[in-house]
Amino acid sequence: MAGVDTLEFRNLRSVEEVQAARVFEEGGYTSDEGASLESMRYRFDHAAHLFLGAFDQKGALVGYVMSTQADAPLVTHRSMEEHDPRGSTVCIHSVCVNPLWQRKGVASRLLEAYTSSICKYNSSLDPSGYKIKRLALLSRENLIPLYERAGYTTLGKSSVVHGTETWYDCIMDL
Ligand SMILES: CC(C)(COP(=O)(O)OP(=O)(O)OC[C@H]1O[C@@H](n2cnc3c(N)ncnc32)[C@H](O)[C@@H]1OP(=O)(O)O)[C@@H](O)C(=O)NCCC(=O)NCCS
């Protein structure tokens, strides 16, 4: 298998790519944590600039980060259901990698590419545009080091109840 250096990082472009992401979403999250295809389609339709994929040399999806914007400082249930284009916080709902590619550094590279892509998005806005000021996500306890190495700060246990896991609020201010 080719290495992480051969991957291309770009926004998803088609419904077929969203369907490929859904397959990994279903495997990576329990049924009460993961997003439905309908919810992923909504996020793609309304916030494609926040749906970043890693693709192999054949163009197959290897992993992705999927989010919405919200007018709230942390990830909320509401942000899982709707995208507020004026929201200054990007609420990251999924960071997911094909099991065949895990523990090779894909998620780390995706998170790095994600921050760059949001900064690029901000610079593309005209001065009156709604800039993104913060990235926020809910981390599983064992993955806190992954996010802290990517530049996130852990604030503590989240008040959000989502499935049976205890979640931790992690943020990065831009
Ligand atoms: C979590 C996930 C995205 C990690 O993807 P990945 O490409 O394997 O991550 P990386 O290779 O970049 O990992 C970098 C470091 O993060 C940590 N890490 C990654 N996966 C981990 C795991 N399952 N448990 C504990 N630490 C982990 C390790 O420190 C790892 O470094 P190492 O491999 O040298 O030990 C992937 O396991 C996944 O898709 N899981 C299912 C969905 C999910 O739980 N997403 C996160 C929700 S918070």
Side-chain angles (χ1 to χ4, degrees), residues 120-131:
K120 206 168 152 190
Y121 171 77
N122 271 346
S123 340
S124 74
L125 297 171
D126 66 47
S128 61
Y130 295 98
K131 287 203 192 269

Side-chain angles (χ1 to χ4, degrees), residues 126-146:
D126 66 47
S128 61
Y130 295 98
K131 287 203 192 269
I132 292 163
K133 297 185 179 147
R134 170 177 280 194
L135 307 184
L137 59 83
L138 297 176
S139 176
R140 303 185 197 281
E141 187 167 17
N142 64 326
L143 296 177
I144 289 174
L146 166 69

